Amino acid sequence: MKIRIDLSVGGENIKEAFLQIEDRKVDHLTEEELLQAVEINIRSWADREIGISWEIVEFPVRPEEEEG
């Protein structure tokens, strides 16, 4: 079984990847179990491939700070 993953950010396609799952590992699964297995594999891929970093670049001005 081959699965194509399209990763997009803001509507822009950023990456395309393919996952391969051996048929013998999934041929006995029901359709629902198969979909769950695919989702688990995609989430594992995402955990390995996607990183998000952030920082606060401007703090909010609080009313008590404006008075002084």
Side-chain angles (χ1 to χ4, degrees), residues 20-56:
Q20 187 77 35
I21 302 174
E22 294 179 38
D23 291 341
R24 66 177 180 78
K25 291 185 175 182
V26 296
D27 64 357
H28 65 284
L29 300 177
T30 65
E31 185 174 341
E32 184 177 326
E33 291 169 332
L34 177 61
L35 293 175
Q36 290 173 350
V38 168
E39 185 174 333
I40 288 167
N41 277 271
I42 291 171
R43 288 180 185 272
S44 294
W45 174 88
D47 287 345
R48 289 189 311 271
E49 296 290 323
I50 299 171
I52 299 174
S53 62
W54 61 272
E55 66 178 299
I56 298 172

